[in-house]
Amino acid sequence: MSLLRVRDLTATFGAGASRLTAVNRVSFDVAQGEVLGLVGESGSGKSVTLRALLRLLPVGGAVSGRVEWEGRDLVTAGDRELRAVRGRQISMIFQEPMTSLNPVLPVRVQIEENLRAHTGLRGRARTARAKELLDLVGIPDAGRRLDEFPHQFSGGMRQRVMIAIALASEPRLLLADEPTTALDVTIQDQILKLILDLKDQLGMSVVLVTHDLGVVAETCDRMAVMYAGRIVETGSVTDVFARPAHAYTAGLMASVPRASAARSVLHSIEGTPPQLDRVPPGCAFHPRCRFATDICRRDVPALEPRVGERLSACHHADAVAAEGSPV
Amino acid sequence: MSETVLSVEDVRKDFPITRGVLERLRGRPQRAVHALNGVSLEVKRGETLGIVGESGCGKSTLARCLVRLLDLDGGRIVHEGTDVSGLTGPDRRAFNRRVQMIFQDPYSSLNPRMSVRQILTEAMRVHDMRPAAEIPARIEELLDLVRLPAGSADKRPHEFSGGQRQRIGIARALCVEPEVLVADELVSALDVSVQAQVVNLLLELQERLHLTVVFVAHDLRLVRHISHRVAVMYLGKVVEVAEAEELFERPRHPYTQALLHAAPSLDPAQRTRAVAARGELPSPIDLPSGCLFRTRCPHAFDRCVVEEPALTPRGTGHVAACHIDAPVFEAS
């Protein structure tokens, strides 16, 4: 049973001839208790997709399509209706906690602000809950640290504070936008495992945006790979890693250095991801793809079951899958 | 292995913290960030030495000390038998011609107002590499070497993608025909598919030009891929050095072990919920006594508090700084 159903989500910026499509008819589901990874390189549209779910686009951005949440469509919902969901049932955490926390307020105020907005807790009960939340996210000496300011926390601790704020409303879905990209690997490891533990404890679902295939392999149940604003492949993490069915997924996996082939030539994908105003016709990946044929230059491949149940948007999914896993 | 090109001997570097007027009047002692706390390393001719560690471990400071962008506060750096720690003027320039650095951020390390031609010409002029008449031909040669399209010379940095900009940075370092390249996080700002292109280029250039490379990075997979030997740093010290395979297969320092376990594996089957290392990096202003890693180490015991472990041999070319000979990794 899907908690969230996204259909043909499209996000555009600007108008007229200069209109850019950052997210192009993206569809996916998130099941109860599941961790979905949205993975892609810079400019692939993964972060915009996440923000578009809650209509959090900057000025000039427009969202269309459907985002079905508890019988409502968040794309057409009124502001009031959306506010009841945003930050309450669906919370979000960002990459750089220093810019999303208010530097001039102690963290107590920032956590309690969310508790005031989304719960009925008052006075002492509210403060007690704020302390409980800091404990929950593993901040030592929570009682004292409540009165400290964001700059007094390390990067990892700030991300924990962000998570505490996001959890204040007991959300059912957590949207995490590159939550560990700015962190060191031992701290990243702590934060990812914290998110997984909290997901189990609180029965949440998580959508995790990342550029790191390792993070996906380590934390997600299912994954969706994005390229030039579209989902090009989606399936269970185990399946996709075992046998990618899109040339881009396979290329991405092969670009990651492997233990077995030290100092050999790394597989690289020639060229660079396209800019949004110059997305190639047909399959956007075709200029960089070694499987490309005429059909790829002409027809946009649909995301449909191509190898077993796996959804892939590659005209040559069978040929790609036949090569097996590059990792 | 072959001869030592650069040798780093007990190098120290502090960055003093500015005191306010009040603090000075009250006589508060001058405090400092201890970035390098006695680093010793050798770089051998023709090898790639990987230097890994997390932010604040001092790896970038070490890279900057190696090319003498920073003055040392202790210890020395010896280049082919000559102490280069105190070089100034023409001597230092001569040293820098042979030991060049490539920076992490191709956006801020290239002057946006200069064309590629001007950037490369300037570097060659400073080091008197070529008579003016030969420079244009040399520029074409260099651009070809780093695989930039012909006609790139008259463009400015902003007209290039991140990967191409990093190639310009490499061309600038190579135009003085150095023997040693110090690459600080060469590809960390790039997308993974583009990273691979730049890494391949570096490997190829190293073969063709017989370069020695010091590759500073936080990406363990990448370092394993390109390095012959790897040094692991923590809080301004080298805690373990070994040949790449040996280090990754048989890490002997608890920090190295934690680092390797924390790096996400590409195999979903190897998932674990256990955390590789508890806690966070202690303040580099007030360093822990004894072993610097003891505050996070699952094996720490009394001796670690009072005595700092020295780098001791653990097999051929393998050294580690731990009081325990062969600690077994424990997830927390």
Side-chain angles (χ1 to χ4, degrees):
Chain A
M1 175 42 204
S2 296
L3 186 67
L4 179 77
R5 271 166 59 93
V6 178
R7 291 294 175 269
D8 293 327
L9 184 69
T10 301
T12 55
F13 291 92
S18 63
R19 195 168 86 147
L20 297 177
T21 306
V23 176
N24 201 341
R25 304 192 56 182
V26 160
S27 302
F28 59 88
D29 291 0
V30 183
Q32 176 71 46
E34 170 180 70
V35 184
L36 171 72
L38 279 183
V39 62
E41 298 180 283
S42 10
S44 63
K46 54 194 192 302
S47 293
V48 179
T49 301
L50 202 67
R51 280 156 205 253
L53 293 177
L54 290 179
R55 295 197 346 231
L56 283 174
L57 295 187
V59 177
V63 183
S64 62
R66 284 204 318 274
V67 176
E68 292 168 21
W69 174 262
E70 306 219 308
R72 266 176 298 214
D73 177 9
L74 299 184
V75 173
T76 53
D79 284 348
R80 208 193 164 92
E81 215 179 345
L82 184 62
R83 267 204 305 275
V85 176
R86 191 199 268 161
R88 178 176 300 187
Q89 296 169 3
I90 305 180
S91 285
M92 189 152 176
I93 54 175
F94 303 90
Q95 172 172 350
E96 188 25 87
M98 198 57 207
T99 52
S100 22
L101 290 171
N102 187 331
V104 299
L105 295 178
V107 302
R108 171 206 298 275
V109 178
Q110 306 190 48
I111 300 175
E112 289 194 16
E113 184 178 34
N114 234 22
L115 288 171
R116 190 180 316 123
H118 298 302
T119 67
L121 294 172
R122 299 263 173 278
R124 254 187 234 146
R126 196 153 69 201
T127 304
R129 178 67 184 149
K131 180 175 171 294
E132 228 173 81
L133 282 165
L134 282 195
D135 275 334
L136 186 70
V137 297
I139 294 183
D141 199 5
R144 186 177 58 82
R145 300 218 74 177
L146 266 180
D147 290 312
E148 292 189 350
F149 291 85
H151 74 90
Q152 292 168 291
F153 290 78
S154 67
M157 287 298 161
R158 266 179 226 147
Q159 196 55 282
R160 289 176 195 261
V161 172
M162 276 298 297
I163 296 172
I165 294 174
L167 295 183
S169 58
E170 298 175 21
R172 301 183 51 203
L173 176 65
L174 181 69
L175 306 179
D177 186 6
E178 303 259 14
T180 59
T181 304
L183 306 175
D184 277 315
V185 51
T186 57
I187 308 299
Q188 159 169 294
D189 177 64
Q190 294 173 0
I191 297 289
L192 290 175
K193 282 159 187 172
L194 172 70
I195 293 177
L196 290 183
D197 286 343
L198 292 171
K199 172 199 80 103
D200 289 348
Q201 273 180 48
L202 309 173
M204 291 186 299
S205 305
V206 180
V207 181
L208 180 73
V209 163
T210 178
H211 67 281
D212 187 335
L213 283 171
V215 168
V216 175
E218 190 99 325
T219 48
C220 301
D221 302 314
R222 282 192 315 118
M223 64 194 280
V225 182
M226 292 193 69
Y227 188 79
R230 291 175 192 271
I231 291 181
V232 295
E233 175 165 12
T234 176
S236 89
V237 168
T238 328
D239 289 352
V240 175
F241 274 87
R243 205 158 62 121
H246 192 288
Y248 176 63
T249 317
L252 208 54
M253 286 180 184
S255 307
V256 181
R258 285 177 304 288
S260 52
R263 293 190 58 81
S264 58
V265 174
L266 274 179
H267 173 90
S268 67
I269 308 178
E270 282 312 309
T272 46
Q275 304 211 310
L276 287 179
D277 56 347
R278 265 166 265 160
V279 176
C283 170
F285 185 60
H286 84 252
R288 306 177 71 193
C289 180
R290 64 193 169 91
F291 293 91
T293 56
D294 283 343
I295 188 175
C296 308
R297 291 181 264 273
R298 198 179 58 229
D299 298 342
V300 178
L303 183 68
E304 56 190 31
R306 288 182 193 259
V307 177
E309 291 194 355
R310 182 99 50 81
L311 301 182
S312 160
C314 180
H315 292 300
H316 302 291
D318 284 323
V320 176
E323 292 199 350
S325 172
V327 290
Chain B
M1 206 151 166
S2 50
E3 62 176 309
T4 300
V5 181
L6 275 172
S7 131
V8 177
E9 297 169 11
D10 197 31
V11 164
R12 290 169 188 278
K13 179 73 199 169
D14 292 338
F15 294 102
I17 298 167
T18 330
R19 284 176 301 178
V21 177
L22 214 65
E23 284 176 309
R24 259 178 284 169
L25 286 177
R26 283 185 184 150
R28 277 267 297 268
Q30 175 72 58
R31 297 197 304 162
V33 171
H34 305 289
L36 297 178
N37 303 302
V39 170
S40 301
L41 263 182
E42 289 191 334
V43 185
K44 311 247 164 98
R45 187 173 300 285
E47 77 169 349
T48 300
L49 173 69
I51 299 182
V52 290
E54 299 180 282
S55 2
C57 75
K59 56 190 191 301
S60 292
T61 304
L62 177 63
R64 280 160 195 261
C65 287
L66 274 180
V67 295
R68 290 292 324 282
L69 270 176
L70 291 172
D71 288 324
L72 314 182
D73 290 324
R76 55 180 209 153
I77 292 174
V78 177
H79 176 237
E80 297 187 338
T82 317
D83 181 353
V84 296
S85 335
L87 290 187
T88 53
D91 292 339
R92 190 181 141 184
R93 228 177 6 253
F95 164 72
N96 274 140
R97 192 191 71 66
R98 302 174 67 188
V99 181
Q100 276 281 313
M101 178 138 176
I102 315 172
F103 296 90
Q104 166 171 10
D105 182 359
Y107 295 77
S108 61
S109 58
L110 299 173
N111 187 333
R113 291 163 181 268
M114 287 166 84
S115 68
V116 172
R117 182 184 306 283
Q118 288 169 319
I119 289 170
L120 298 180
T121 307
E122 182 187 45
M124 284 190 262
R125 286 235 177 94
V126 167
H127 290 281
D128 288 325
M129 291 307 295
R130 293 282 147 115
E134 288 176 24
I135 286 181
R138 174 67 177 152
I139 288 176
E140 290 308 312
E141 198 181 303
L142 281 164
L143 293 181
D144 187 51
L145 194 66
V146 299
R147 304 267 170 70
L148 279 170
S152 300
D154 294 305
K155 293 186 179 170
R156 291 185 198 180
H158 74 91
E159 295 174 75
F160 296 91
S161 67
Q164 288 176 323
R165 253 179 278 213
Q166 211 46 303
R167 288 168 196 260
I168 301 171
I170 296 175
R172 179 174 61 181
L174 290 180
C175 70
V176 299
E177 294 160 32
E179 292 150 19
V180 182
L181 275 186
V182 179
D184 185 12
E185 300 277 11
L186 180 68
V187 296
S188 0
L190 307 177
D191 273 320
V192 54
S193 69
V194 180
Q195 263 187 10
Q197 298 167 10
V198 177
V199 167
N200 287 341
L201 176 70
L202 185 70
L203 286 172
E204 183 199 319
L205 290 173
Q206 183 174 26
E207 298 274 298
R208 277 174 67 178
L209 308 174
H210 309 290
L211 294 166
T212 304
V213 177
V214 178
F215 191 84
V216 177
H218 69 279
D219 184 335
L220 295 161
R221 269 192 224 111
L222 196 60
V223 166
R224 178 178 195 167
H225 182 78
I226 81 159
S227 308
H228 296 105
R229 288 193 309 135
V230 176
V232 182
M233 290 186 68
Y234 186 78
L235 264 187
K237 287 212 87 116
V238 171
V239 296
E240 186 163 10
V241 186
E243 298 209 345
E245 262 326 283
E246 166 81 5
L247 187 100
F248 282 86
E249 292 302 326
R250 281 173 294 280
R252 298 288 280 274
H253 193 284
Y255 176 64
T256 313
Q257 296 176 341
L259 201 60
L260 299 186
H261 276 89
S265 148
L266 276 185
D267 181 0
Q270 288 191 8
R271 245 180 230 200
T272 123
R273 277 288 180 95
V275 170
R278 293 256 166 233
E280 302 199 346
L281 199 69
S283 159
I285 302 169
D286 304 304
L287 296 172
S289 64
C291 172
L292 297 175
F293 186 59
R294 70 171 167 82
T295 56
R296 300 171 74 188
C297 182
H299 307 287
F301 61 107
D302 306 352
R303 189 175 165 200
C304 307
V305 182
V306 289
E307 186 186 336
E308 188 171 355
L311 281 170
T312 49
R314 310 288 157 116
T316 321
H318 192 162
V319 291
C322 182
H323 290 309
I324 304 171
D325 181 47
V328 177
F329 174 73
E330 272 173 36
S332 342

